């Protein structure tokens, strides 16, 4: 479903709440699995311990997929053996099993399995839709929390 149709559906059904928690991903993500990154370009800065991927960036870890225009990888101290965080911006899409989320920006803390999506963030689960200013997804336990002018479309009978 195109993003503008989802937004139109959300605007048609005003159900604002302060915060809402939902399950994300029928299967919990394996946060210990290797992280694979593909992109058009890569710039590495050894002094900061960061690598900047740009152009159709796609990140995979187990079943989870994250795509964005640009992703900055920050490595943990000690070199490029362990990723600390991924900072994605520009058309961020996160897919985990049957669920998906979209936002302008996302920060993925690989060590904890937490992803924070900001800027017109939307989570879809089947026909159910949640949107808010900020969505926090925990891939370790498969939950998500939505806050900041939350809007929701829930279909009778669940997913």
């Amino acid at each position: 479903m195109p993003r503008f149709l989802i937004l139109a559906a959300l605007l048609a059904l005003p159900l604002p709440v302060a915060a809402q928690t939902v399950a994300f991903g029928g299967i919990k993500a394996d946060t210990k699995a290797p992280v694979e990154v593909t992109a058009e370009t890569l710039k590495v800065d050894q002094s900061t311990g960061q690598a900047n991927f740009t152009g159709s960036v796609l990140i995979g870890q187990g079943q989870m997929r994250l795509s964005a225009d640009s992703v900055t990888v920050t490595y943990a101290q000690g070199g490029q053996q362990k990723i600390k965080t991924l900072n994605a911006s520009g058309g961020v899409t996160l897919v985990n099993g049957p669920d998906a989320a979209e936002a302008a920006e996302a920060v993925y803390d690989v060590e904890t399995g937490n992803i924070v999506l900001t800027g017109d963030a939307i989570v879809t689960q089947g026909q159910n839709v949640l949107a808010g200013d900020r969505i926090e997804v925990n891939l370790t336990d498969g939950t998500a929390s939505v806050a900041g002018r939350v809007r929701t479309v829930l279909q009778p009978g669940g997913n």
Side-chain angles (χ1 to χ4, degrees):
M1 177 181 285
R3 188 175 183 142
F4 67 89
L5 290 178
I6 293 172
L7 290 175
L10 292 172
L11 294 175
L13 185 60
L15 296 173
V17 293
Q20 189 161 348
T21 301
V22 297
F24 186 80
I27 300 172
K28 296 177 188 175
D30 182 1
T31 58
K32 302 296 184 203
V35 176
E36 180 180 343
V37 182
T38 59
E40 299 296 322
T41 63
L42 166 64
K43 293 181 182 176
V44 178
D45 186 339
Q46 297 292 342
S47 65
T48 63
Q50 293 184 332
N52 189 31
F53 295 88
T54 56
S56 301
V57 182
L58 178 61
I59 297 172
Q61 184 179 36
Q63 186 178 356
M64 189 270 302
R65 298 288 178 266
L66 185 141
S67 63
D69 295 336
S70 174
V71 175
T72 300
V73 175
T74 303
Y75 294 98
Q77 288 187 339
Q80 298 179 356
Q81 301 301 315
K82 188 174 181 183
I83 296 173
K84 182 177 178 181
T85 61
L86 300 168
N87 294 298
S89 62
V92 176
T93 301
L94 172 67
V95 178
N96 188 33
D99 302 334
E102 296 180 12
E105 297 182 356
V107 177
Y108 176 24
D109 184 327
V110 177
E111 294 174 343
T112 64
N114 288 320
I115 299 177
V116 177
L117 300 120
T118 55
D120 296 324
I122 296 174
V123 171
T124 59
Q125 297 178 296
Q127 294 181 346
N128 296 328
V129 179
L130 285 171
D133 296 330
R134 178 183 174 94
I135 299 174
E136 293 185 38
V137 178
N138 184 308
L139 296 174
T140 304
D141 64 14
T143 61
S145 176
V146 184
R149 191 64 183 160
V150 175
R151 291 219 184 263
T152 185
V153 175
L154 302 172
Q155 300 298 325
N159 287 340

